[in-house]
Amino acid sequence: MTPDVSTIWGWLDQVPDPEIPVISVVDLGIVRDVTWQDDTLEVAVTPTYSGCPATSVIAMDIETALYDRGVTNVRIKTQIAPPWTTDWLSDKGRAKLADYGIAPPSPAGGPDACPRCGGAHLTRISQFGSTPCKAHWRCDDCLEPFDYFKCI
Amino acid sequence: MADQTALFEYLLRLGDNTLVLGHRVSEWCGHAPVLEEDIALANTALDLIGQTQMWLGLAGEVEGAGRSADDLAMLRDVWDFRNLLLVEQPNGDFGQTLMRQCLFDAFHFELLTELTRASDDRIAAIAAKTLKEVTYHLDRSSETVIGLGDGTEESHRRMQAALDLLWPYVGEMFTPDAVDDAMKAAGIAPDLTALRSRFDIRINETLIEATLTKPDSNFAQSGGKTGFRHTEHLGHMLTQMQWLQRAYPGATW
């Protein structure tokens, strides 16, 4: 059984990121390519940060999602070039991040507004937040801390 | 085509630097003075350990003896490690840890920038990826050195003591040997003298802003990257890092 590639992309768009379950591995730009090599489905995956503990979980989740839909001949190919960048985050993904309370990456190098109250008076506490991909900021209006998804 | 033995040695150096430093930094997990700093240290350690997987993974491939990144990291003893002496130094206080980080980051940043142009695509790819993370490491460590150096009387005193203690380990980063020469000839690694100039510019700027005095001596400790003479600290560190893999060979989760 060889479902077409666009169907498979749709399935992978339903695989959530383990750490931020409101966005998918496709939103994050982690899945780079989906191709049939004879009867093996090859999924090219790019790791985000080198030490991201979710990387192997994501590979497993992708395999499981495909097995559950009857595609059992799967090969996950790890691709480190070109290196993952937040530029690959989909617009849909950015909106979902903001909704969830994580300020999405911005070329300004910092968040535009507090994801809770919309305030613009923001202080960076640390470039390293709850995970390697996030920085720790505080809103000086509502005084709540929040995560900012760093540009890389 | 590069001499494969020299290439293997060079990749071990890159991977052992990140492995040993990553482990050292991870020793702070749960013990840092402030929660946000604890998290920052843990995140830095994670990045470094992830980078180790790539460098040692490639080393194993080049060696062609079937050793994985895990095998190389967990089953070699002190004399087979190829990290710089700087990174195996104990953490000391928080200031000393960040001073060690800053000195290494300034070197690492310049080195990786050059390695993105390596004639070997695999090395260029790893360098391009790791450089992005190391840019954030350097940002943070230099900011912290400045903040603590130009801080209180106590923080300034501790940072100066850390700089005086660690400065003798800087020279080894830029002293070329046969492996470095072979890599340079192969178009993989940069000229270390040129790298030193860029490092000096960067570090001088940071130390001046930190109101710290750069030590006057050019003496350079050596023996780490060749494996000829590690300090007494590495063996003790490996007893913590490797005991499980050594006590239960082949153990898996």
Side-chain angles (χ1 to χ4, degrees), chain A residues 63-125:
Chain A
E63 280 174 348
T64 306
L66 293 167
Y67 288 178
D68 285 351
R69 290 172 175 87
V71 182
T72 53
N73 234 349
V74 175
R75 179 169 55 232
I76 307 270
K77 186 176 91 162
T78 303
Q79 208 168 277
I80 63 167
W84 184 77
T85 164
T86 43
D87 290 351
W88 293 345
L89 203 59
S90 69
D91 288 335
K92 167 159 89 61
R94 277 163 207 272
K96 291 216 192 122
L97 275 180
D99 231 21
Y100 186 65
I102 298 172
S106 153
D112 310 312
C114 169
R116 269 184 203 77
C117 76
H121 300 101
L122 312 167
T123 301
R124 193 187 81 198
I125 307 293

Side-chain angles (χ1 to χ4, degrees), chain B residues 19-75:
Chain B
L19 174 63
V20 172
L21 185 57
H23 184 85
R24 274 294 187 220
V25 174
S26 80
E27 287 171 355
W28 276 105
C29 194
H31 306 282
V34 172
L35 181 59
E36 288 81 4
E37 293 305 320
D38 201 294
I39 289 169
L41 288 161
N43 278 341
T44 304
L46 262 184
D47 280 347
L48 290 168
I49 290 165
Q51 294 171 15
T52 303
Q53 284 186 303
M54 293 190 284
W55 290 123
L56 291 188
L58 183 57
E61 243 177 75
V62 165
E63 187 194 30
R67 288 203 278 183
S68 67
D70 275 321
D71 294 333
L72 288 167
M74 298 302 172
L75 303 178

